[in-house]
Amino acid sequence: MIREAKAGDLHPNGVLKELGFRYDSNNLYQQTIDAVLDAAEMLDLPHHLRLILAEPKTELMTHFPVRLDNGVYRLFKGYRVQHNNILGPYKGGMRFHPTVALDDIKSLAVLMTMKCSLSQLPLGGAKGGVQIDPRSLSEDELRRLTRRFTSALGDNIGTDHDIPAPDMGTNAQTMAWMADTYMNFHDSQNKHQSRAVVTGKPLKFGGSFGREKATGQGVVYAMEECLPALDIDIAKATFSLIGYGNVGSWTARLLTEQGSTLKAVMDHTGAIYNDKGLDAEKLASHVVSTGGIAGFEGGEAIDEETFYRTQVDIFIPAALEQMVCRKNAALLNCRVLVEAANAPVTPAGERILLGQGVTILPAILCNAGGVTVSYFEWKQNLQAETWEEKKVDKRLQKYTRAAAKRVTLAAEKFGCDLRTAAYCAALENIAEVYKLRGIFP
Ligand code: NAD
């Protein structure tokens, strides 16, 4: 919905006004919750549910010292935001990035609540992180930071309370350090089960087959469900990507395996182009060995504007939030935008794209593969089981198909865009559970 308010005014949304929000159109949390509340209005959700969902249940902020390799101590700021747990234990990634800030983490926690609900997982929504560029630390420093942060979180995480996972700047190794630290503090009778406190762990330490590629795999399954209705054949489609980390590189490898052509990629080191198609596997190896896409021999370097203007069928942001803003959206030359990253499109960017007839496949559908396979990993840990990759993939596909169907049905029922439809489907599920459980006491 277009808001007419000036920056600093009380927020024009009734619930946000009641909570004393001052309007800021650039604030990611306000952008996210505003869109969720628009869907709540469409569903005529009870006022008390809108109030509950408008703010996270818990916001934790902790400052903790870590000794660097040169003997100097540095103080770090860490966050964990637990948005809602009506459906089950909180679940969400841990991000290590220099721009990590409370409102962004709050926004990502809301998206986790919506994502788990849309996929009908028995999990709630959370997110956390540390304001740090992990590339600036040695491995020893990163390990000390991860352990100290985990101990600072204490009992605020737990196998049946809040279960972190990897996100930007963290990986399976980070999760192994988190699990090990937690296990050292929680010497329960079910010690082997306590590694279920985090997911996305290495295979040899309780990880699940298929978890590393899961988010990219989920993106591709969601595309397989939604693109035929838009008359796009994955085997012949062209695409470009922002971000070539976990999500971007797996999405690219899986799509090119099916015959799609990767025309252009941009990451924090630059942008590259190849009209005949970039080799996704070789590019992934190049990024692992050099830290970014710059210098890849299989493509020519291009500038940012040329990257955004590249003509493709599908544009896939898989990096930071809010990258497709008003300015960049106007440059795009695509038919579909697939949100592999969380909240990559600003409301102003979205209005431009929808106005140009571009279909946006929303993040809570497209990137739910990560949390879905995390849910499988958690189940396997608690039941001391190991599932084959085929079983993991098949189940992920089933969950993704069901979620995509819910979005399509809601879009037809409410006559709205796919993002609003995804929020409607997620909120309907949450509202039913609130109705059954009631509000304590
Ligand atoms: P990652 O750290 O593995 O990769 C991040 C990528 O973003 C890198 O290629 C980096 O170069 C790029 N990037 C960073 N800053 C940039 C900039 N200014 N311009 C262009 N590129 C930039 O992170 P990831 O795990 O792949 O996560 C990417 C997105 O997907 C995030 O929005 C994350 O929340 C979301 N996500 C991740 C998972 C998961 O399982 N990892 C699950 C769901 C959603």
Side-chain angles (χ1 to χ4, degrees), residues 16 24 59 62 83 88 106 109 127 158 195 216 225 231-232 251 257 260 266 274 287 365 425:
L16 299 183
D24 174 1
E59 295 171 22
T62 173
H83 176 252
K106 282 173 65 175
K127 200 81 177 190
R195 60 190 180 171
E225 289 306 305
D231 212 18
I232 296 180
T251 302
E257 247 175 41
S260 300
M266 182 171 82
N274 186 334
V287 170
L365 169 65

Side-chain angles (χ1 to χ4, degrees), residues 62-66 68 72-78 130-131 145:
T62 173
H63 293 94
F64 56 94
V66 177
L68 302 183
V72 171
Y73 283 86
R74 203 173 138 188
L75 196 68
F76 291 91
K77 193 195 257 296
V130 179
Q131 200 182 75
L145 178 143

Side-chain angles (χ1 to χ4, degrees), residues 95 167-169 211 215 244-247 267-268 318-319 323 341-342:
R95 175 175 294 194
D167 190 74
M168 282 185 83
R211 175 60 184 90
T215 308
Y244 215 75
N246 174 286
V247 180
D267 77 354
H268 70 287
M323 291 195 74
N342 287 307

Side-chain angles (χ1 to χ4, degrees), residues 368-423:
V371 69
T372 306
V373 177
S374 273
Y375 164 56
F376 300 160
E377 179 177 329
W378 180 66
K379 266 174 82 120
Q380 290 171 74
N381 289 165
L382 295 180
Q383 293 161 2
E385 281 186 11
T386 305
W387 299 357
E388 287 174 1
E389 184 158 345
K390 245 192 202 159
K391 175 168 169 174
V392 171
D393 285 351
K394 209 167 161 201
R395 290 202 174 187
L396 172 59
Q397 189 174 33
K398 200 170 144 200
Y399 272 83
T400 312
R401 272 194 185 148
K405 187 97 194 143
R406 283 178 207 118
V407 176
T408 320
L409 286 176
E412 280 166 15
K413 182 170 162 191
F414 297 105
C416 59
D417 62 88
L418 296 178
R419 185 189 315 288
T420 312
Y423 289 152

Side-chain angles (χ1 to χ4, degrees), residues 119-438:
S119 290
Q120 299 201 351
L121 305 175
L123 296 168
K127 200 81 177 190
V130 179
Q131 200 182 75
I132 174 66
D133 178 359
R135 295 185 195 96
S136 69
L137 297 185
S138 70
E139 190 176 342
D140 275 352
E141 290 168 336
L142 265 181
R143 191 182 59 241
R144 289 197 289 276
L145 178 143
T146 304
R147 286 193 183 283
R148 183 66 199 240
F149 178 44
T150 308
S151 78
L153 290 172
D155 286 331
N156 292 297
I157 56 171
T159 52
D160 60 358
H161 175 53
D162 184 356
I163 305 139
D167 190 74
M168 282 185 83
T170 56
N171 55 28
Q173 177 61 77
T174 325
M175 295 303 115
W177 291 329
M178 286 195 84
D180 183 72
T181 307
Y182 180 85
M183 289 164 85
N184 272 284
F185 281 110
H186 294 81
D187 194 5
S188 69
Q189 283 178 332
N190 295 326
K191 190 161 182 170
H192 71 281
Q193 286 186 345
S194 54
R195 60 190 180 171
V197 66
V198 292
T199 56
K201 298 182 291 292
L203 262 181
K204 292 208 182 256
F205 178 38
S208 174
F209 283 106
R211 175 60 184 90
E212 206 217 311
K213 63 164 182 162
T215 308
Q217 183 68 77
V219 171
V220 175
Y221 285 151
M223 289 167 73
E224 284 170 4
E225 289 306 305
C226 301
L227 295 187
L230 301 166
D231 212 18
I232 296 180
D233 178 357
I234 287 191
K236 295 184 188 141
T238 55
F239 69 106
S240 59
L241 261 173
I242 315 181
Y244 215 75
N246 174 286
V247 180
S249 71
W250 275 110
T251 302
R253 282 178 270 181
L254 294 165
L255 282 177
T256 50
E257 247 175 41
Q258 292 201 35
S260 300
T261 305
L262 173 58
K263 290 238 170 184
V265 181
M266 182 171 82
D267 77 354
H268 70 287
T269 63
I272 52 173
Y273 173 83
N274 186 334
D275 193 46
K276 292 202 167 56
L278 294 154
D279 185 320
E281 279 297 342
K282 283 188 183 154
L283 183 56
S285 307
H286 175 83
V287 170
V288 169
S289 55
T290 68
I293 62 166
F296 181 61
E297 285 182 354
E300 60 174 290
I302 52 173
D303 61 32
E304 194 175 320
E305 185 174 329
T306 312
F307 167 79
Y308 279 109
R309 285 190 188 281
T310 304
Q311 186 182 358
V312 280
D313 298 313
I314 307 157
F315 181 80
I316 311 178
L320 290 171
E321 295 75 32
Q322 297 182 304
M323 291 195 74
V324 185
C325 53
R326 188 194 311 264
K327 178 180 143 238
N328 296 337
L331 304 175
L332 286 185
N333 195 350
C334 63
R335 292 169 61 196
V336 185
L337 184 144
V338 175
E339 292 188 336
N342 287 307
V345 183
T346 65
E350 178 159 323
R351 281 195 292 278
I352 290 174
L353 290 170
L354 294 178
Q356 288 172 349
V358 174
T359 302
I360 301 176
L361 302 188
I364 68 163
L365 169 65
C366 295
N367 70 24
V371 69
T372 306
V373 177
S374 273
Y375 164 56
F376 300 160
E377 179 177 329
W378 180 66
K379 266 174 82 120
Q380 290 171 74
N381 289 165
L382 295 180
Q383 293 161 2
E385 281 186 11
T386 305
W387 299 357
E388 287 174 1
E389 184 158 345
K390 245 192 202 159
K391 175 168 169 174
V392 171
D393 285 351
K394 209 167 161 201
R395 290 202 174 187
L396 172 59
Q397 189 174 33
K398 200 170 144 200
Y399 272 83
T400 312
R401 272 194 185 148
K405 187 97 194 143
R406 283 178 207 118
V407 176
T408 320
L409 286 176
E412 280 166 15
K413 182 170 162 191
F414 297 105
C416 59
D417 62 88
L418 296 178
R419 185 189 315 288
T420 312
Y423 289 152
C424 284
L427 287 170
E428 267 182 330
N429 184 42
I430 289 175
E432 278 172 33
V433 181
Y434 265 110
K435 201 167 172 200
L436 291 167
R437 287 182 60 170

